[in-house]
Amino acid sequence: MPSVITVTTDDLALPLEEQVMRTSAALDAYGHLVALAPADPADPARRRMHTVRSALEADRIAIVPLTLPPLAVSLLGEQLRQLAGTDLGPGVLAGAARLLSYYLYSGALLGSVAKLDRVPVGVGSHVRSLVPGRHFAVIAHPEPYLAEADTEHLPPGPGYQTQLALAGNALDPGWITGPLAGAWRSQHLREVPLPPDSAAWWGTSKLVEFTAYIADVGMLYQLVTSVRRDTCTWCGLEVIGDQCLFCSTRLGERATPAKHAAAAPAGTGQGRAVETPRRPQLEPHKR
């Protein structure tokens, strides 16, 4: 059974040797690891995870880069851990991280957008954020949205059944638990701890982060199993998507298995030997 971890700045507090030992023990216990990491290749937490994987020389660690806010990443990890208890293999589970991210609606109620760089912020919003008492509704995923938080203007939400998780207590969450939850027809409200990276991600500590997500593991399983699966030509794992996230082999030509086969010489009726596809060479920061 594979395991899923989320990579945050808290990992940087651990000595590298200790993190390598912990990761090695997790590989021994679970066989494969799916690590959800920031999308920025220069992010220290992501670079640390690549260093750990290189130190272990482990193709059993899939590092999945995501542009999601911290709460959404935490909830996605929770969904994947639920799916890890089913019959889905590690390659499919890693690919499911990208698939299920499309079904997350994530944002925050902010007291200031002066330092927000995750969504476009107009000059007017910057100026209004200097006025005490202003609250801003921001959606970072799946589509950017920014407006003052009021009952007349609400961001578009999911068109399917979700639960709404919120984290943080620096602001009054009434706009989230009232107008937003009603407009998004949330089935359940759930309070969770604020992720350690939230303040840095949103550019302020005056926030309440929220995410609408699918909580039904049966629905999640149905979404994942409805996608076409293929077998990785290098490591043999069953995968979804166009790339194996463990060994980085691309499956772009999966519909034409004769890609590596040479044409038969005229009149011979026989083909030449098929060359085994080479494993892609990774850049140092991707190893």
Side-chain angles (χ1 to χ4, degrees):
M1 180 186 299
S3 182
V4 181
I5 61 174
T6 55
V7 184
T8 70
T9 52
D10 282 354
D11 296 297
L12 300 177
L14 293 174
L16 177 60
E17 295 79 4
E18 182 178 349
Q19 192 172 4
V20 169
M21 292 179 60
R22 290 188 179 189
T23 305
S24 178
L27 283 173
D28 291 340
Y30 297 102
H32 291 79
L33 288 180
V34 178
L36 307 182
D40 183 4
D43 185 275
R46 179 175 170 183
R47 292 180 67 88
R48 167 63 73 89
M49 197 64 222
H50 280 289
T51 301
V52 170
R53 185 172 68 173
S54 297
L56 294 173
E57 298 182 349
D59 284 346
R60 293 179 293 143
I61 301 176
I63 301 177
V64 184
L66 299 168
T67 58
L68 297 171
L71 178 59
V73 173
S74 177
L75 292 169
L76 177 60
E78 182 179 279
Q79 291 175 326
L80 295 175
R81 281 187 286 271
Q82 288 179 301
L83 290 172
T86 67
D87 59 355
L88 299 179
V92 174
L93 194 66
R98 291 178 172 176
L99 172 66
L100 296 181
S101 68
Y102 292 105
Y103 295 91
L104 296 168
Y105 278 68
S106 189
L109 182 66
L110 305 179
S112 171
V113 294
K115 297 182 180 180
L116 178 65
D117 60 2
R118 302 293 181 169
V119 301
V121 181
V123 175
S125 296
H126 268 297
V127 173
R128 287 192 295 273
S129 70
L130 300 177
V131 179
R134 299 274 187 169
H135 292 171
F136 296 86
V138 182
I139 302 294
H141 185 84
E143 297 291 339
Y145 172 94
L146 190 153
E148 287 196 57
D150 57 41
T151 58
E152 296 181 1
H153 304 92
L154 295 169
Y160 41 86
Q161 294 182 345
T162 60
Q163 293 189 11
L164 188 61
L166 62 154
N169 55 11
L171 298 175
D172 181 358
W175 180 84
I176 301 172
T177 59
L180 184 70
W184 286 10
R185 295 178 295 176
S186 301
Q187 295 179 300
H188 177 72
L189 292 176
R190 174 188 173 194
E191 293 188 21
V192 297
L194 186 69
D197 294 339
S198 291
W201 203 95
W202 292 103
T204 178
S205 59
K206 296 181 179 179
L207 82 155
V208 180
E209 194 171 356
F210 59 85
T211 298
Y213 68 104
I214 298 173
D216 184 355
V217 66
M219 185 179 297
L220 296 172
Y221 183 84
Q222 184 177 357
L223 286 171
V224 175
T225 54
S226 66
V227 179
R228 169 177 171 168
R229 305 188 199 187
D230 290 283
T231 300
C232 176
T233 56
W234 178 263
C235 66
L237 288 177
E238 191 176 41
V239 300
I240 60 175
D242 61 355
Q243 183 181 24
C244 174
L245 297 175
F246 283 93
C247 69
S248 298
T249 298
R250 290 199 170 274
L251 307 175
E253 302 295 331
R254 58 188 178 185
T256 55
K259 171 185 176 183
H260 301 281
T268 64
Q270 297 179 353
R272 291 176 294 182
V274 177
E275 181 182 356
T276 302
R278 290 185 177 183
R279 181 185 182 185
Q281 297 298 309
L282 301 182
E283 299 174 16
H285 74 277
K286 294 182 180 179
R287 288 178 180 170

